[in-house]
């Protein structure tokens, strides 16, 4: 039920390219618009596979995942590119735990700032990020806004 924790689920880094693609497809229904149907999905996926950190939450099935980049040593900025929790498992702190893993990993890599872009119509995601310390920086496109937080 929403709001209850799932007691025995695991978190882990995903390195296998086929697993990454399968996980994104499994969770694609939560993205509006679809990630896998984007014209640039193949290009995005190649970048994710080559440079992104990919962490999944799972029990007997995939619950959610986060993909982020924590490799900008010059500016110290990490960037979340995808975060998804399957609809049936939302409200159970899985997204919170995925985000916390991202923050900890990024801090270990020496990142000072965590950034993201979110669809400006995605009120649920914006509220989630605001509750987790992100603030708006500037409008990026007609459909998206930038948010960021300091990693202390």
């Amino acid at each position: 039920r929403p709001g209850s924790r799932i007691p025995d689920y695991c978190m882990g880094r995903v390195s296998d390219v086929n697993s990454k693609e399968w996980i994104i497809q499994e969770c694609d229904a939560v993205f509006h618009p679809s990630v896998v149907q984007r014209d640039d999905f193949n290009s995005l996926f190649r970048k994710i596979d080559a440079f992104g950190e990919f962490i999944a939450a799972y029990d007997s099935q995939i619950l959610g995942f986060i993909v982020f980049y924590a490799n900008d040593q010059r500016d110290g900025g990490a960037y979340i590119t995808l975060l998804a929790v399957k609809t049936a498992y939302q409200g159970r702190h899985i997204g919170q735990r995925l985000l916390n893993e991202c923050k900890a990993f990024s801090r270990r890599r020496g990142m000072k700032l965590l950034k993201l872009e979110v669809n400006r119509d995605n009120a649920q995601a914006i509220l989630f990020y605001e509750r987790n310390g992100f603030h708006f920086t500037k409008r990026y496109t007609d459909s998206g806004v930038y948010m960021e937080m300091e990693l202390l």
Side-chain angles (χ1 to χ4, degrees):
R1 64 179 208 263
S4 65
R5 295 183 186 267
I6 298 175
D8 296 320
Y9 71 93
C10 301
M11 304 269 293
R13 288 178 72 188
V14 180
S15 57
D16 176 69
V17 65
N18 294 321
S19 296
K20 290 176 187 178
E21 187 170 18
W22 178 78
I23 291 167
I24 292 171
Q25 290 173 350
E26 278 289 299
C27 296
D28 191 59
V30 303
F31 293 110
H32 302 284
S34 163
V35 170
V36 299
Q37 292 181 8
R38 287 174 42 169
D39 291 338
D40 67 341
F41 176 71
N42 289 331
S43 172
L44 172 66
F45 185 74
R46 282 192 302 275
K47 183 179 174 188
I48 287 169
D49 187 49
F51 305 109
E53 300 299 332
F54 198 116
I55 300 174
Y58 58 94
D59 56 9
S60 60
Q61 65 175 324
I62 291 299
L63 308 175
F65 73 96
I66 189 167
V67 177
F68 60 97
Y69 304 98
N71 54 6
D72 185 353
Q73 295 299 323
R74 189 184 79 230
D75 292 332
Y79 186 85
I80 298 172
T81 192
L82 295 172
L83 171 58
V85 175
K86 286 183 172 180
T87 304
Y89 300 101
Q90 292 178 4
R92 298 181 186 187
H93 310 284
I94 295 167
Q96 177 71 59
R97 190 163 166 210
L98 287 164
L99 181 59
N100 289 344
E101 291 287 326
C102 169
K103 290 181 194 178
F105 185 96
S106 297
R107 284 186 190 106
R108 288 192 303 273
R109 284 274 178 96
M111 302 294 107
K112 306 292 184 216
L113 199 62
L114 184 55
K115 306 173 189 181
L116 59 90
E117 180 187 354
V118 63
N119 186 311
R120 65 189 284 204
D121 296 328
N122 191 342
Q124 182 179 358
I126 290 170
L127 183 59
F128 170 79
Y129 290 123
E130 286 180 321
R131 286 181 177 159
N132 282 282
F134 285 83
H135 60 274
F136 292 102
T137 58
K138 63 178 180 177
R139 189 172 304 222
Y140 177 67
T141 65
D142 289 341
S143 62
V145 292
Y146 270 142
M147 299 181 81
E148 67 182 26
M149 70 171 298
E150 288 186 41
L151 293 172
L152 304 174

